[in-house]
Amino acid sequence: MRGVVMHGAGDVRVEDLPMPTVQEPTDAVIRLAAACVCGSDLWPYRGADEIREPRPMGHEYVGVVEEVGSAVTNVKVGDFVVGSFVASDNTCEICRAGYQTSCVQRVGMGGSQAEYLRVPLADGTLVATPGEPSPDLVPSLLAASDVLGTGWFAAAAAQAGPGKTVAVVGDGAVGLLGVLAAREMGAERIVIFSRHADRQALAKEFGAIDVVTSRGDEGADAVKELTDGLGAHSVIEAVGTQESMLQAIKATRPGGHVGFVGVSHGVEIPGKLLFGSHVHLHGGPAPVREYLPELIDLIWNRRIDPGRVFDLEVPLEDAAEAYRAMDERRAIKALLRV
C-alpha cells in the first residue's frame, strides 16, 4: 500500500509500505476513505520535534472496516467508522471518567496518511456511523477524529456555555472548531485572535463575534477592553507556545477557565502569575472518543459542518504539497484523497 513517511524536517515522501494486518484479537483493519495533515504534524516537519528514523505519518482517520479480530464485537466488516488519535479500551476506570486518551491500555495512533490502517482496541476506539455517509459528509466525519473533538474538549474544559464570553487563542483548525464548539454550547460572545482574513471569515461563520489581531499582553488587554476590564469567562488555548499560554491566562478573568489543547512546546507558567490569577487550567490530549457519538450525530443530521476547515484537497501522492501549504499558512487544513 502507499503511505506518507517523514524522513526529517521538511522531508515528506509517499512510499510503498507493508499492508497492515490483524495482529491481536482486538484489532481491526480499515480501508481509509480520506486522510489529512494535522497542525501537530508540522512540529516535526519544522524541526521542532526530532525525527530519529523514518516515521509513518497521520493520526486522523475515517474508513470502512475490512477485517476484524476474533474479539471485536462492536464493529463489523463493511461498517464506516470514525476513530480517535489514541486507541483506548473505553472500559477502564479512566475511560469511564471521560479521559480515554489516558486509558490504561492506550495506544497512540500513527500511519493513517495511507490507504489502510490497523486500529488496536477496535471495540473501544471505533464508532460506526448510522450508514454509508454521502461523500460531502466525509470531511466533517474526518474532522471529528481529531480537530473537532479537540476543539470540543477545549471548549468544555474552558467551561464555555450560556452567558459566557469565550476567547480563542489560535486560528488553526482546532481554534476555529473551538469557536464552533463554543457556539454549540451556547456561548453568548466569542472572540477569535487572528491576523488572517480567510480564517477570520470562517471563524465568524462558525460563531465568532469579535476579532482581535494583536497578541501577547496587547491581545489580552484587547479582550479585557471588550469585557469591561474583566477578561473572558472562558479561553481556549489552541497553539502550544509560551506566548499563547500566557496570553490565554492573562485574557481570562479571575475565576475563569482556560482549556488548553495546543501541543506544549517550551511552555513554563510562572507560579506568581498562576497564583495571582484565580484562573482554572484544564486540558491536554483531547479524549475525542468521549465525544464521538455526539459529534457524529450532529454531523450526520447536518447540524454542524466542521469539514469546512479543509480548504485544500490533494491526492495522497501529493502529500508533500499538503505539508508545504499548511507550513506556509496557504491552507488551514489539508485533506488527502485516498
Side-chain angles (χ1 to χ4, degrees):
M1 72 164 187
R2 301 289 282 170
V4 177
V5 178
M6 187 177 293
H7 287 258
D11 186 2
V12 171
R13 311 175 196 175
V14 181
E15 303 177 349
D16 290 324
L17 297 174
M19 186 74 175
T21 60
V22 168
Q23 298 177 20
E24 301 289 342
T26 50
D27 288 352
V29 172
I30 64 174
R31 171 171 47 85
L32 279 298
C36 58
V37 180
C38 183
S40 63
D41 295 332
L42 298 181
W43 290 107
Y45 184 78
R46 292 168 173 162
D49 292 342
E50 185 179 359
I51 299 290
R52 298 180 183 273
E53 59 185 20
R55 179 192 301 177
M57 297 300 294
H59 52 263
E60 299 159 276
Y61 55 98
V62 294
V64 177
V65 177
E66 291 278 298
E67 184 182 3
V68 296
S70 59
V72 176
T73 60
N74 290 345
V75 296
K76 63 184 184 301
V77 172
D79 281 348
F80 191 97
V81 292
V82 185
S84 168
F85 59 87
V86 171
S88 60
D89 61 28
N90 207 36
T91 59
C92 78
E93 189 170 338
I94 303 302
C95 285
R96 295 199 307 273
Y99 292 91
Q100 289 88 339
T101 40
S102 287
C103 173
V104 297
Q105 296 194 74
R106 65 186 178 273
V107 179
M109 295 299 298
S112 68
Q113 292 168 11
E115 294 178 307
Y116 292 86
L117 178 70
R118 170 181 168 259
V119 181
L121 304 172
D123 266 352
T125 304
L126 299 175
V127 178
T129 60
E132 181 71 20
S134 59
D136 67 309
L137 286 182
V138 170
S140 286
L141 292 169
L142 179 60
S145 180
D146 183 351
V147 287
L148 174 60
T150 297
W152 203 271
F153 173 60
Q159 299 286 298
K164 301 286 187 69
T165 293
V166 180
V168 180
V169 181
D171 64 356
V174 170
L176 291 168
L177 292 176
V179 170
L180 183 152
R183 180 199 70 194
E184 288 298 308
M185 293 177 188
E188 182 174 301
R189 185 179 192 181
I190 303 172
V191 183
I192 181 77
F193 288 95
S194 176
R195 294 179 174 179
H196 301 85
D198 57 338
R199 299 170 189 236
Q200 294 170 6
L202 186 54
K204 288 184 176 180
E205 291 181 32
F206 280 161
I209 303 295
D210 301 286
V211 174
V212 173
T213 58
S214 50
R215 296 178 179 174
D217 289 350
E218 186 179 349
D221 289 342
V223 171
K224 290 180 179 178
E225 289 176 11
L226 293 170
T227 55
D228 299 323
L230 299 178
H233 300 88
S234 307
V235 178
I236 292 171
E237 191 285 312
V239 181
T241 65
Q242 178 78 359
E243 180 185 48
S244 63
M245 178 62 87
L246 296 185
Q247 179 178 324
I249 294 171
K250 292 176 181 179
T252 308
R253 67 179 56 197
H257 295 74
V258 173
F260 61 95
V261 292
V263 180
S264 178
H265 282 72
V267 175
E268 296 182 358
I269 302 173
K272 287 186 178 179
L273 170 65
L274 187 60
F275 183 79
S277 69
H278 277 141
V279 167
H280 302 75
L281 296 178
H282 182 43
V288 170
R289 178 60 182 82
E290 177 72 6
Y291 305 109
L292 275 182
E294 178 183 5
L295 299 180
I296 290 172
D297 181 70
L298 289 170
I299 292 165
W300 197 263
N301 291 296
R302 300 183 184 274
R303 281 271 310 276
I304 59 174
D305 188 13
R308 296 191 60 205
V309 296
F310 292 106
D311 55 349
L312 175 65
E313 183 175 327
V314 300
L316 178 66
E317 292 293 331
D318 292 340
E321 168 55 20
Y323 274 81
R324 282 192 298 269
M326 287 182 61
D327 179 46
E328 296 166 5
R329 298 186 72 89
R330 292 185 283 111
I332 299 171
K333 191 167 179 67
L335 184 144
L336 303 174
R337 293 195 305 272
V338 179

